[in-house]
Structure formats: structure tokens, C-alpha cells
Amino acid sequence: MDFIPSLPTLLAFAAASLLLAMTPGPDMTLSISRALAQGKKPALFVVLGTSLGVIVHTCLVAFGISALITASPLAFTMLKTGGAAYLLWLAIQAIRFGSSLAVKKVDAIKGTPFANISTGFWVNLLNPKVIIFFMTFLPQFVTAGDPAVTHKLLFLGFFFIVIGMPVNALVVLAADKLSSWLQNNRRVLRGLDYTFAGVFSIFAAKIFLTQAR
């Protein structure tokens, strides 16, 4: 069971993943919009599709970063340092521009399950911010000298999906009330923005302090 991180690492990852899954973003906007336009069932297929996209990105990051660690630990350190700067930039963006959640209820013809899964899949797969996010988020929970780094990255990526899918599903089931309530309670959205920024800032600080030792 070497692929399972230590309990403190796993708990920290679970807490961060839960906070990030609850933060409004493109995947949540898409699923809520689909729920309002076509109903809950099509939106749940969209959630499935976005999760499949995350699986692809998880595999790319796991095998790519593990190869990088084997080839050059220094390059891995540079990647994490660059990732820290990127996370800090995301934190600043969240404070400056606020939540990206903005959906409207519209009438639309319901698509097939495959069409909705495909939509969610390609939205995540073709979004460059998703791969950048995974390249900066997952590596914070592994070490360069760990021989099981590939398996741990895969485990963490799938664990992220296990945490995120129920959150997105609950959002879909409560989409009508949730979207209206959030739009009418901007303070809550701003609170989510600051939470989002805080999580990213903590990881950025953690990396910078580690590299300074």
C-alpha cells in the first residue's frame, strides 16, 4: 500500500480538495447551467464527463511529473517553484475579479447522455488551466525522492475525483435554489473567493518556504 500517502498528508489533501470542489468555477458553472436548462439528469452526465476529463489530466500529470523527477530533481524543484507563483497569481485573481459563477435559466432541448458526458469531458480536457492546476496542486503532496511517486499522484488524482463528484452532484440537485441564492447573496460568493484565495496562498507559501531551506 505504498501508493497511499500518510494520514496527515491525506487529511490535508482531502480538506484542500473539498474546499476547492466547493469553490465556483467553470465545471460548476457548466453543471448548474445544464441543470437549469435541461434538468438534473443531463447535468449529472455533465458531472461524469468533467470527472473523466480529470482522469486524463491526472494520468498525464502523474506519469509526466514522475518522469521529470527521475530525469532531474532540480527541474522538479523549478516546476514546484513556478507552480507556487502560479497559485499565488490565482489567489490574487480570485480577490480582484471575484467568483466566476454566473448562470441563467434558459429553455433548451435535452441532449443525449453521451452528448452531455462528451461536453463535460471536452470542457475539462481542452481547458489549459485544468492541466496547469493539477501540475501545481498534486505535486505539493509528494516528495522528489519517493519511489512510489507515480502511484501516489494517481491515487491523489482519483481521490480528488471521489471528493469532487459528490460535491458537484449535490450542487446539481440543488441547482435552482443554489444558483438563485448565491446570486442574491454576493457576500457568500465573496467569502468563497477569499477561501479559494486562502487555500492557494497557503500552498504557495508552503512551497516558497520549503525552497528557501
Side-chain angles (χ1 to χ4, degrees):
M1 304 293 281
D2 292 338
F3 64 89
I4 300 179
S6 64
L7 182 59
T9 298
L10 199 58
L11 291 176
F13 181 82
S17 297
L18 183 60
L19 286 174
L20 295 177
M22 294 170 61
T23 303
D27 54 345
M28 185 179 290
T29 300
L30 174 63
S31 60
I32 291 178
S33 297
R34 191 57 54 90
L36 296 179
Q38 300 184 14
K40 298 175 183 178
K41 187 175 180 180
L44 289 175
F45 281 117
V46 170
V47 171
L48 176 59
T50 58
S51 297
L52 292 176
V54 170
I55 290 176
V56 174
H57 285 299
T58 295
C59 293
L60 291 174
V61 171
F63 291 108
I65 289 181
S66 62
L68 180 62
I69 292 174
T70 302
S72 174
L74 177 60
F76 180 65
T77 299
M78 294 176 63
L79 172 64
K80 293 186 70 173
T81 303
Y86 176 72
L87 291 173
L88 188 59
W89 179 80
L90 285 181
I92 295 173
Q93 294 295 99
I95 299 300
R96 287 184 61 192
F97 300 107
S99 174
S100 60
L101 179 64
V103 294
K104 296 181 180 180
K105 188 168 185 176
V106 296
D107 294 326
I109 300 175
K110 292 185 178 181
T112 65
F114 177 79
N116 285 302
I117 292 174
S118 178
T119 298
F121 175 77
W122 287 108
V123 162
N124 260 357
L125 190 66
L126 299 178
N127 187 350
K129 290 185 178 181
V130 176
I131 184 65
I132 295 175
F133 168 74
F134 270 82
M135 288 184 67
T136 56
F137 183 64
L138 292 183
Q140 313 318 316
F141 299 91
V142 297
T143 58
D146 192 340
V149 64
T150 301
H151 297 96
K152 284 186 176 179
L153 287 171
L154 288 171
F155 176 84
L156 290 172
F158 280 93
F159 191 48
F160 180 86
I161 295 173
V162 169
I163 293 175
M165 278 194 71
V167 173
N168 287 321
L170 288 174
V171 167
V172 165
L173 295 176
D176 196 4
K177 294 181 179 180
L178 180 67
S179 60
S180 299
W181 184 79
L182 284 176
Q183 295 294 347
N184 293 326
N185 292 270
R186 304 304 298 181
R187 290 184 178 180
V188 176
L189 279 178
R190 287 304 289 162
L192 290 174
D193 293 332
Y194 279 99
T195 299
F196 185 69
V199 171
F200 280 148
S201 297
I202 289 172
F203 284 117
K206 173 180 176 293
I207 304 169
F208 280 128
L209 291 175
T210 300
Q211 302 303 330
R213 293 176 182 176

